[in-house]
Amino acid sequence: TQCNHCDNAPCVKVCPVGATYKDKDGLVLMDYDRCIGCRFCVVACPYSARRFNWSRPSALTGKVNPLVPLRPVGVVEKCTFCVHRTRQGKLPRCVEVCPVGARHFGDRNNPQSEVSKILNENPGFRLLEEVNTKPNIWYITRGKKYTAR
């Protein structure tokens, strides 16, 4: 599963150097320069959403996005909801390229947002709610009012 960007993120609590942190928008992000590769966050994540980078990154010359840092060997990686895109008003790449329009992204605290409307009009659930991480990924079951975009 991908990172659930939990409100009560156990990965943030266990990071001994503060490399995993919550930003002002509530996203759980990584400072790859601070990460010491201890993997405490990997163990703490109940969603198995983190990966340790065992090998040196490779990228095609000229194909590296300057807004996305290459993660060096020996650090943990995770989904950032493409924060480099969302802060520019764009959608995360996974939402943009989903061939069936099954992924949505937005501010669930804004009652006028598409995400809020979908959540209010359709039954949904979050994974492992019982462990009190307060995940921010919702899974929607198609209700009567749901219409694909």
Side-chain angles (χ1 to χ4, degrees):
T1 58
Q2 73 182 56
C3 177
N4 280 251
H5 295 275
C6 304
D7 286 339
N8 186 26
C11 57
V12 171
K13 294 175 185 176
V14 301
C15 183
V17 295
T20 298
Y21 64 96
K22 287 191 65 83
D23 78 344
K24 64 182 178 356
D25 298 321
L27 296 178
V28 177
L29 299 177
M30 292 279 308
D31 181 338
Y32 299 111
D33 293 328
R34 294 190 74 160
C35 181
I36 59 173
C38 68
R39 291 169 269 179
F40 288 175
C41 59
V42 173
V43 174
C45 178
Y47 305 100
S48 300
R50 290 172 165 263
R51 301 288 176 259
F52 184 75
N53 191 348
W54 290 98
S55 56
R56 177 168 291 194
S58 62
L60 299 172
T61 306
K63 297 291 182 178
V64 176
N65 183 339
L67 300 175
V68 182
L70 281 179
R71 279 80 61 205
V73 66
V75 300
V76 176
E77 302 177 320
K78 61 175 280 319
C79 165
T80 65
F81 272 149
C82 295
V83 69
H84 62 286
R85 293 174 56 84
T86 57
R87 286 193 176 145
Q88 295 178 352
K90 298 177 183 175
L91 293 172
R93 194 75 170 139
C94 64
V95 174
E96 187 176 272
V97 302
C98 180
V100 295
R103 291 177 175 247
H104 301 271
F105 180 84
D107 183 356
R108 67 182 166 93
N109 294 319
N110 174 357
Q112 300 305 312
S113 73
E114 176 193 22
V115 167
S116 286
K117 290 175 183 176
I118 291 170
L119 289 171
N120 288 333
E121 296 173 359
N122 297 279
F125 65 93
R126 299 182 292 176
L127 296 177
L128 300 174
E129 286 186 82
E130 65 275 11
V131 298
N132 197 34
T133 59
K134 300 178 183 167
N136 284 302
I137 300 283
W138 288 80
Y139 294 86
I140 304 297
T141 56
R142 284 213 163 116
K144 293 179 182 177
K145 297 179 183 178
Y146 179 81
T147 53
R149 48 184 161 125

